[in-house]
């Protein structure tokens, strides 16, 4: 009979309910054979397709942020498990430990029993160092992995992700980014194969913290002008996704940043399409002419864009507040922003607001 063990981990990788590690140690001492069987286990991972995996207890335990004594007990009951690869991802116990914030003691123990495991990647090419960076492992663990396998800092996954890309994309703290940079300075200018993104692109598109963006700007300011595969620079990703403090930092340090993308789209269009009301309000105040600027060839103002994208009422209000005339600008299809909102099935609050504002101002503008 196959035992099914299902846990649901927190965003930080630990179990949502307490695990009785002393009880586990007792079972292992009394029934060591249990450590030679595989069990179905629900792994809390970003990989939606492979969450339920058939794993040996040592691999399962490494997903639970266990104490060293429990890992040692399970290992000694089945030493061969240290070299076992799970059938779903080809992952070793060390890879699981690095993905679920295992302690330095546990990581040291796993490496001591199987030193080669620091070099063994999953099927997608991710090595333990990359997984530690992706899942915010303690800085001491990252240091240990670099020390044991310094070449890993220059090893990319199948998709071209270096450890620093993984760390930035997964919102690792600035200390982790600094660790990776010091070990391999060239990594900040390397690009990820599929999207041609540098670490700064990822920091701006994935909402990395202000101090991470500031650090990357200090060590590689030249990346700010580089385009990725979507012809987006970090600056335009920041306007599209990042927080207001990051945008203010970029504008303060680089006041000559372009106002239009290579495709002719204005900053405010990017913000209106995806970002928060405070960013939209800030850019509309800084660049009032952009509020009524139109894209080519479809003639969309930022208000048209926000309405078509079904943006929240606060975004719509910010644009109208800075230039009510935009309520009456037609795009290339002859549509007002209200028409775009209706076609996009915008919420009733947005529709009611646009109808009210058009009626209130119609005599003024016409």
């Amino acid at each position: 009979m196959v035992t099914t063990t299902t846990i649901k981990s927190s965003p930080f990788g630990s179990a949502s309910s307490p695990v009785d590690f002393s009880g586990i140690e007792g079972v292992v001492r009394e029934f060591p054979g249990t450590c030679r069987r595989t069990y179905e286990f629900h792994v809390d991972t970003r990989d939606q397709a492979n969450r339920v995996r058939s794993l040996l207890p040592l691999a399962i335990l490494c997903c639970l942020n266990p104490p060293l004594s429990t890992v040692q007990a399970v290992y000694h009951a089945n030493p061969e498990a240290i070299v076992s690869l799970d059938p779903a991802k080809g992952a070793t116990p060390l890879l699981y430990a690095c993905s679920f914030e295992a302690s330095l003691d546990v990581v040291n123990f796993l490496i001591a029993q199987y030193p080669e495991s620091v070099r063994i990647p999953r099927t997608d090419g991710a090595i333990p160092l990359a997984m530690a960076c992706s899942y915010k492992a303690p800085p001491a663990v990252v240091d240990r992995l670099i020390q044991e396998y310094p070449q890993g800092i220059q090893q990319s996954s199948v998709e071209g992700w270096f450890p620093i890309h993984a760390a930035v994309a997964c919102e690792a703290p600035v200390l982790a980014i600094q660790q990776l940079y010091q070990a391999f300075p060239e990594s900040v200018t390397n690009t990820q194969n599929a999207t041609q993104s540098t670490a700064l692109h990822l920091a701006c598109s994935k909402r990395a913290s202000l101090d991470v963006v500031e650090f990357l700007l200090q060590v590689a300011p030249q990346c700010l002008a580089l385009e990725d595969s979507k012809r987006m620079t970090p600056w335009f990703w920041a306007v599209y996704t990042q927080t207001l403090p990051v945008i203010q930092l970029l504008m303060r340090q680089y006041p000559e940043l372009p106002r239009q993308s290579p495709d002719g789209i204005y900053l405010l269009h990017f913000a209106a399409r995806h970002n928060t009301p405070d960013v939209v309000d800030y850019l509309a105040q800084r660049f009032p002419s952009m509020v009524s600027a139109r894209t080519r060839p479809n003639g969309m103002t930022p208000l048209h864009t926000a309405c078509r994208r079904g943006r929240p009422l606060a975004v719509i209000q910010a644009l109208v507040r800075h230039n009510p005339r935009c309520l009456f600008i037609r795009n290339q299809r002859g549509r007002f922003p209200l028409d775009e909102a209706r076609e996009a099935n915008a919420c009733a609050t947005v529709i009611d607001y646009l109808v009210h504002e058009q009626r209130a101002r119609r005599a003024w503008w016409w």
Side-chain angles (χ1 to χ4, degrees), residues 124 156-162 165 190-194 197:
D124 61 3
S156 65
S157 69
V158 172
E159 295 182 348
W161 286 74
F162 289 88
H165 291 132
N190 284 342
T191 56
Q192 190 268 341
N193 290 348
S197 298

Side-chain angles (χ1 to χ4, degrees), residues 282-302:
Y282 173 77
L283 292 174
Q285 186 174 4
R286 285 293 303 270
F287 309 109
S289 63
M290 279 189 198
V291 183
S292 59
R294 305 195 206 188
T295 57
R296 294 189 300 271
N298 56 17
M300 299 279 283
T301 65

Side-chain angles (χ1 to χ4, degrees), residues 181-222:
Y181 170 75
Q182 290 162 4
F184 183 34
E186 294 85 353
S187 62
V188 293
T189 55
N190 284 342
T191 56
Q192 190 268 341
N193 290 348
T195 64
Q196 294 300 300
S197 298
T198 65
L200 186 58
H201 283 89
L202 293 169
C204 291
S205 64
K206 303 294 185 180
R207 289 179 73 91
S209 64
L210 176 64
D211 51 0
V212 167
V213 174
E214 193 166 20
F215 172 73
L216 292 173
L217 284 171
Q218 289 172 356
V219 298
Q222 68 274 26

